[in-house]
Amino acid sequence: MSHNPIFPVPSQALTRTRMNSSQYAESYAQSIANPEEFWAAQARELLSWRAPFQNTLDWNFHTATIKWFEGGKLNVSENCIDRHLELRGDKVALIWEGNEPGDTKSLTYRELHRAVCETTTLLRSLGVKKGDRVAIYLPMILEAAVCMLACTRIGAIHTVVFAGFSAEALRDRINDCSCSILITANEGLRGPKTVPLKTTADQAVSECPTVRHVLVVKRTETPCPMQDDRDVWYHESLNSIAGSDNSAAEPMDSEDPLFILYTSGSTGKPKGVLHTTAGYLLYATHTFRYVFDLQEDDVHFCTADIGWITGHSYVLYGPLANGATSLMFESIPTYPDAGRYWDVVERHKATIVYTAPTAIRALAKEGDHFVTRYSRSSVRLLGTVGEPINPDAWLWYHSVVGEGRCPIVDTWWQTETGGVMISPLPGATPTKPGSATRPLVGVQPMIVDEQGQELFGNDVTGRLCIRFPWPGMMRSVYGDHERFRQTYFSTFPGLYFTGDGCRRDEDGYYWITGRVDDVLNVAGHRLGTAEVESAIVRSGAVAEAAVVGVPHDVKGQGIAAFCVLHAEVLPDAGTKMKILATVREVISPIATPDHVWFVAGLPKTRSGKIMRRILRKIGEGEYGAVGDVSTLADPSVVADIVSLVQAARLSKD
Ligand code: WT7
């Protein structure tokens, strides 16, 4: 009954592969039959330990307790750098492509080691020690990678905040985990724009009582304000510690926290996803190797920013732990024009390209000539992540970018999972455009209905859960373990609930259908509806707001905001501008609504709950499909909203 084309594993992929289809089947079966044995063997093979672990796994999904490899000691920076020095000291670890085409640098493993050791000494001289939290608010520059690794060398917990986030967002993250140091740059460059990072950081830190020092990387020559007793230039302090060495790597316990990364949930403020040392590192290392079928001469081009989990796992930790060469890209896909990715690919001879469906759609729109102008002959594998990829975008990526010869790995995972969970393996899995295909070894997905009953067999649709722990899974919400339990383990007791809807087709392939909670995915960025709504209300003009996702041809999902204004406020362009500006300021430009619709009232149940289902249908333009409105406190609001939205759409608002 399949209407989906199937793309077989290309024979060229088979000649280089680490895992073919029968090896996958065998190893999957083994990993499920004996998960602990399987992961213990991986941990011994892929990581270097200062002291061996004794207890492979201790878990309870009811209390949200997950502990892997207890008793073991190791250090992440040693695994990512030191252990490669003997065999790969002169191999390039990181290639950097700056904002301007051709502005490029690289670091060999030996050079990276030196840089990380110096920065470790520097951070220690500023008082950073094991367990301290360090916020990193940097553009995609080599210093970002070096600082993250230096934190891991000390055992300090980094929290990287995407450099596009606002002062308020930065402040809240710093305060939530009480960071003692913030590392930023005077200024960032993003295509034609400059980003005043230090000014934004100053605004944030003025309300962060725990921050003792702001370490400032000089990215450009533009001056920036420096506060005498608090702010330090990175390059100057490196000079001042020259000759001293305090860079010994701290042996960490397997379950010591490694980093915190904030992500949006369906309610309230972003949560600090906590990952720990051994499990995360093993999972990033293992998945990078298998999903991308790693070869010694690979040049891995993952376009994600280091401020997201994809940047953590597949720009930094996964590639470096494997001794691979990873490319860091500072600019944007359309600067100076829509050919930039392929220009980078040609000049650096990238062998793997890993990007997001939203970027693929945006570039496909610009025309094939931006791609075909450059040679992609070095590329052997393509990957996508972040949201479901529509088959049209998949086919364009496959035929135009990949010349029809490169397999595509559509990788499903989450900030919470630490690494890829469901994905084809290039040498093992025939692909279907739009499907993330099959679980990786050691991953036990399960589809349940709304009551939590397992849906067995194929050709079923429901909610995606995971029934057994994997090493890379998050361990807690920083400072709020109960929220961790509540968010992931209480909807379906005994299971980890992903928040995604999912279909398993007639061949057992998984198709992620998108979030089933109040989380939006806008251009691959995760936003909570509640988060955007409260930002809108902060504008002062709006009494009440409801936000839903609407289909958007490039971003996948856009944001529609239904706003009830305060009595004296006019529903005009000025008010709309004010709302948009507030959202940008409170969260980030990423969260800017695509539509702002001023409505007289929101559809609510008699108990006062907003019926988003109805707003979603209206947002999708399915005005006739709003369904039963009889349970609403005031059913007439629906017709009013429909006519208002129709009129607004006609006037292209
Ligand atoms: C959500 C997680 C993992 C790094 C990037 C996003 C969606 C992610 C896919 C995919 C369909 C996908 C899910 C997931 N998602 N990858 N290949 N196919 N949906 O991480 O911000 O934590 O978002 O992104 O809805 O739950 P994130």
Side-chain angles (χ1 to χ4, degrees), residues 453-485:
Q453 293 304 311
E454 177 162 13
L455 299 173
F456 293 97
N458 289 339
D459 219 347
V460 292
T461 302
R463 281 148 201 240
L464 181 64
C465 295
I466 314 287
R467 69 171 105 225
F468 194 87
W470 63 100
M473 75 186 298
M474 72 183 284
R475 300 298 198 264
S476 195
V477 169
Y478 187 81
D480 194 350
H481 196 73
E482 175 53 20
R483 189 172 174 199
F484 176 53
R485 197 196 57 79

Side-chain angles (χ1 to χ4, degrees), residues 6 82 238 477 515:
I6 297 188
D82 305 48
L238 279 180
V477 169
R515 304 289 304 198

Side-chain angles (χ1 to χ4, degrees), residues 38-276:
F38 173 81
W39 287 117
Q42 293 293 322
R44 288 188 196 105
E45 187 193 323
L46 296 179
L47 300 183
S48 300
W49 297 84
R50 287 276 197 102
F53 54 90
Q54 271 95 46
N55 194 5
T56 303
L57 173 65
D58 178 9
W59 71 292
N60 181 333
F61 274 0
H62 293 281
T63 56
T65 314
I66 303 108
K67 290 177 181 164
W68 282 95
F69 313 122
E70 273 193 308
K73 285 199 179 283
L74 74 171
N75 180 280
V76 167
S77 81
E78 275 185 346
N79 273 273
C80 288
I81 312 171
D82 305 48
R83 66 167 166 160
H84 305 310
L85 292 177
E86 197 180 329
L87 291 176
R88 300 189 178 100
D90 295 320
K91 179 174 176 175
V92 173
L94 293 169
I95 301 175
W96 176 76
E97 166 84 10
N99 191 49
E100 293 305 320
D103 181 10
T104 166
K105 289 185 210 165
S106 64
L107 290 175
T108 61
Y109 274 92
R110 206 179 314 286
E111 289 163 339
L112 178 64
H113 180 253
R114 188 169 167 189
V116 169
C117 286
E118 286 170 356
T119 299
T120 300
T121 305
L122 162 56
L123 289 177
R124 281 185 174 140
S125 79
L126 293 175
V128 178
K129 46 186 200 319
K130 176 176 171 177
D132 289 356
R133 275 79 58 211
V134 174
I136 299 180
Y137 186 63
L138 283 174
M140 282 291 278
I141 53 179
L142 291 169
E143 288 83 351
V146 169
C147 289
M148 289 166 79
L149 289 161
C151 285
T152 71
R153 202 164 182 87
I154 297 170
I157 305 165
H158 61 65
T159 181
V160 183
V161 179
F162 174 58
F165 272 125
S166 67
E168 286 198 24
L170 175 60
R171 176 200 65 195
D172 292 349
R173 286 158 174 75
I174 292 175
N175 286 339
D176 187 73
C177 62
S178 38
C179 298
S180 55
I181 305 276
L182 168 65
I183 309 176
T184 188
N186 59 333
E187 181 174 64
L189 300 173
R190 259 181 93 71
K193 293 191 200 144
T194 55
V195 190
L197 291 175
K198 177 62 166 55
T199 309
T200 309
D202 282 343
Q203 246 177 298
V205 173
S206 70
E207 295 173 44
C208 298
T210 55
V211 172
R212 286 186 283 106
H213 291 292
V214 179
L215 187 59
V216 188
V217 177
K218 193 172 172 196
R219 168 65 186 95
T220 65
E221 294 308 313
T222 312
C224 69
M226 294 290 279
Q227 192 176 304
D228 262 359
D229 46 344
R230 189 196 67 187
D231 301 350
V232 247
W233 284 105
Y234 180 73
H235 63 282
E236 283 179 7
S237 22
L238 279 180
N239 283 338
S240 70
I241 54 133
S244 62
D245 178 23
N246 187 8
S247 65
E250 184 80 32
M252 303 295 287
D253 288 336
S254 291
E255 284 296 341
D256 276 337
L258 177 62
F259 65 81
I260 301 164
L261 194 54
Y262 285 84
T263 192
S264 298
S266 51
T267 53
K269 57 174 196 162
K271 46 183 178 256
V273 169
L274 181 75
H275 282 287
T276 59

Side-chain angles (χ1 to χ4, degrees), residues 97 101-102 336 339-348 370 374:
E97 166 84 10
R340 185 63 186 278
Y341 278 175
W342 325 117
D343 170 34
V344 170
V345 163
E346 179 181 282
R347 277 188 289 108
H348 297 290
F370 281 112
Y374 300 100

Side-chain angles (χ1 to χ4, degrees), residues 310 386-388 410-415 500 512 515 521 526:
T310 310
E387 57 175 312
D410 172 354
T411 62
W412 174 85
W413 57 295
Q414 311 179 293
T415 305
D500 280 325
I512 308 298
R515 304 289 304 198
N521 190 330
R526 211 163 126 173

